């Protein structure tokens, strides 16, 4: 195999191919990146049985071939090469990467031991890449990081005739968002899939500028896959099996008691006041007709409080919230103002979940479909 490629293009492709590989693996062969050169282009692929990455780049190929080489080592090398064309060649079981006066020789890994990459069928639908990336970033933060309950470490995708919904929860909060979905070419108008949040977030970051993303649901035997394709890049992932909790029913149809606050002011005040808190402690938020008071009691050594403007509709309300969970929701709102709605419970002395939505101005709600419901112990364990 022999080819020459642009340094930046090759570096980006290698980085993409290895990004989702595990840091450690019991099978060294799975740490490799498969490089396949044919006339006019080179493909780079990685696969660890759960997730795969594949991409193609233009290259001047003088000799076709296939080679398997350490992915992270190749990524480190290519990212630090000088700004000049990269020459890639193989001889026997050696791989040579040279650029300018720099030259590296790597030992090839046995291609015959590498697993067969997933084959992707026709796409199930298409979504706008920028909206997809935004939705994943907004919702993914609410997914659980506790592997004890694998099903909630994922984001549930829900397809209807014209929309693609995203739902995530970690038992203490729920985030949902809908974006446009075009499944007209395949006729896919209803489907659900639970995708690992980490994989979905990486897809959002990588393909967010691709213009549009093709989404493919693929089932067969025990391996149910989902694939995302855009800008000559494809990521596949095994789906998480299980029943996602029915968290959408927790969202109220309407709330009469709410406050509208400047988003940036609330974020800044929360970050300042939480400084004195001990880990996992909550902040006290008092909403009155005079505004919003934030209070933190950090023990005998430190206390803090701050007041900011807030426009309250309904009764005075006091809630205690984990500041980081609140900040996650506020950072995802993407609007100048935020509406904080106070839901009711059967116990009048116990406030219900706090609903966070975007607000165009103090008086005008936003059309954004993002909703974030927050309260400790939100779901039954």
């Amino acid at each position: 195999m022999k080819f020459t490629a642009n340094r930046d293009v090759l570096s980006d492709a290698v980085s993409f191919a290895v990004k989702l590989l595990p840091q450690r693996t019991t099978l060294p062969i799975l740490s490799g990146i498969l490089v396949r050169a044919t006339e006019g282009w080179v493909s780079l692929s990685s696969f660890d049985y759960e997730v795969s990455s594949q991409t193609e780049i233009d290259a001047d190929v003088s000799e076709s071939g296939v080679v398997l080489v350490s992915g992270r080592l190749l990524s480190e090398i290519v990212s630090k090469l000088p700004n000049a064309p990269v020459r890639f060649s193989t001889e026997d079981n050696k791989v040579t990467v040279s650029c300018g006066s720099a030259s590296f020789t790597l030992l090839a890994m046995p291609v015959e031991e590498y697993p067969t990459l997933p084959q992707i069928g026709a796409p199930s639908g298409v979504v706008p890449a920028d909206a997809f990336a935004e939705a994943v970033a907004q919702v993914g933060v609410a997914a659980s990081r506790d592997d004890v309950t694998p099903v909630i470490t994922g984001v549930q995708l829900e397809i209807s005739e014209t929309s693609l919904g995203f739902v995530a929860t970690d038992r203490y909060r729920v985030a949902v968002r809908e974006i446009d979905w075009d499944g007209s070419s395949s006729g896919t108008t209803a489907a659900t899939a639970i995708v690992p949040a980490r994989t979905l977030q990486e897809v959002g970051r990588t393909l967010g500028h691709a213009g549009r993303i093709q989404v493919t649901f693929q089932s067969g035997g025990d391996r149910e896959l989902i694939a995302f394709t855009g800008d000559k890049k494809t990521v596949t992932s095994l789906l998480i099996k299980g029943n996602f909790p029915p968290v959408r029913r927790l969202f109220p149809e309407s709330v009469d008691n709410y406050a509208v606050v400047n988003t940036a002011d609330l974020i800044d005040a929360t970050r300042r006041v939480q400084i004195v808190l001990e880990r996992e402690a909550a902040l006290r938020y008092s909403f009155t007709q005079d505004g919003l008071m934030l209070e933190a009691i950090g023990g005998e050594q430190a206390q803090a409080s701050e007041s900011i403007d807030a426009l309250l509709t309904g009764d005075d309300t006091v809630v205690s919230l984990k500041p980081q969970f609140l900040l996650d929701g506020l950072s995802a709102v993407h609007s100048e103002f935020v509406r904080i709605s106070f839901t009711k419970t059967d116990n009048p002395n116990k406030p219900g979940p706090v609903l966070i939505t975007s607000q165009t101005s103090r008086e005008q709600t936003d059309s954004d479909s993002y909703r974030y419901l927050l309260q400790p112990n939100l779901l039954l364990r």
Side-chain angles (χ1 to χ4, degrees):
M1 172 196 293
K2 288 183 181 180
F3 69 83
T4 302
N6 177 279
R7 192 280 306 265
D8 292 339
V9 173
L10 180 61
S11 178
D12 176 70
V14 175
S15 175
F16 164 76
V18 303
K19 198 166 291 184
L20 287 170
L21 285 179
Q23 294 291 334
R24 296 179 180 86
T25 177
T26 55
L27 295 175
I29 197 77
L30 298 181
S31 67
I33 182 171
L34 191 68
V35 183
R36 185 184 302 274
T38 190
E39 187 174 349
W41 56 272
V42 171
S43 70
L44 300 100
S45 311
S46 62
F47 184 35
D48 70 350
Y49 291 110
E50 293 188 359
V51 62
S52 77
S53 302
Q54 303 175 54
T55 186
E56 296 178 1
I57 62 171
D58 294 330
D60 181 8
V61 179
S62 55
E63 186 177 320
S64 300
V66 181
V67 69
L68 185 67
V69 65
S70 170
R72 300 202 183 279
L73 184 55
L74 181 61
S75 180
E76 282 286 320
I77 290 171
V78 176
S79 67
K80 292 178 172 58
L81 291 175
N83 189 16
V86 179
R87 300 179 299 279
F88 193 104
S89 62
T90 61
E91 184 174 349
D92 297 328
N93 65 338
K94 298 287 183 66
V95 178
T96 301
V97 181
S98 57
C99 180
S101 59
S103 181
F104 297 83
T105 300
L106 309 176
L107 191 64
M109 304 167 78
V111 174
E112 61 275 8
E113 296 180 15
Y114 198 68
T116 303
L117 293 164
Q119 298 299 308
I120 308 303
S124 306
V126 179
V127 293
D130 54 351
F132 179 90
E134 181 183 47
V136 169
Q138 288 176 308
V139 173
V141 70
S144 175
R145 293 166 179 79
D146 186 355
D147 291 334
V148 174
T149 311
V151 70
I152 59 173
T153 64
V155 175
Q156 175 152 284
L157 304 186
E158 302 173 344
I159 291 176
S160 65
E161 289 191 8
T162 59
S163 69
L164 172 61
F166 300 76
V167 187
T169 184
D170 61 1
R171 298 184 186 275
Y172 301 103
R173 57 220 173 132
V174 181
V176 301
R177 172 74 197 276
E178 280 82 34
I179 64 174
D180 291 338
W181 165 264
D182 180 5
S184 57
S185 61
S186 68
T188 303
T189 58
T192 60
I194 307 174
V195 186
R198 173 177 174 266
T199 302
L200 200 63
Q201 288 168 324
E202 193 58 54
V203 170
R205 285 189 289 266
T206 303
L207 303 184
H209 301 288
R212 64 177 196 163
I213 297 174
Q214 295 178 332
V215 183
T216 305
F217 294 90
Q218 193 155 313
S219 60
D222 295 331
R223 296 179 64 83
E224 292 188 335
L225 297 173
I226 190 169
F228 305 93
T229 302
D231 196 22
K232 294 185 178 180
K233 294 181 172 72
T234 296
V235 173
T236 71
S237 173
L238 277 182
L239 300 181
I240 299 175
K241 293 185 177 182
N243 295 318
F244 201 79
V247 292
R248 280 188 179 270
R249 68 185 183 186
L250 297 172
F251 288 89
E253 292 185 6
S254 63
V255 183
D256 298 326
N257 192 188
Y258 60 87
V260 177
V261 188
N262 181 280
T263 308
D265 289 349
L266 183 52
I267 288 174
D268 292 342
T270 298
R271 285 174 175 166
R272 281 190 291 268
V273 177
Q274 74 167 346
I275 292 173
V276 302
L277 283 180
E278 296 178 357
R279 187 177 181 183
E280 297 300 318
L283 272 180
R284 178 185 173 94
Y285 295 82
S286 300
F287 295 85
T288 68
Q289 298 298 329
D290 296 327
L292 168 60
M293 170 71 77
L294 292 77
E295 298 173 279
I297 300 176
E300 297 180 357
Q301 295 184 342
Q303 298 180 4
S305 65
E306 183 170 346
S307 298
I308 60 174
D309 290 337
L311 182 63
L312 179 65
T313 299
D315 301 330
D316 292 356
T317 302
V318 179
V319 291
S320 293
L321 303 170
K322 288 189 177 182
Q324 189 54 56
F325 285 2
L326 178 63
L327 290 171
D328 288 341
L330 296 175
S331 299
V333 164
H334 301 166
S335 61
E336 183 178 359
F337 292 90
V338 60
R339 174 181 288 206
I340 301 177
S341 303
F342 310 107
T343 66
K344 304 293 185 181
T345 65
D346 294 335
N347 184 349
N349 298 317
K350 181 181 179 182
V354 170
L355 175 61
I356 295 174
T357 53
S358 58
Q359 187 93 358
T360 304
S361 65
R362 285 184 178 274
E363 297 79 22
Q364 182 65 43
T365 58
D366 202 335
S367 59
D368 188 355
S369 61
Y370 176 69
R371 293 177 294 162
Y372 184 88
L373 198 63
L374 168 62
Q375 181 168 310
N377 304 316
L378 182 58
L379 299 178
L380 293 174
R381 286 187 174 279

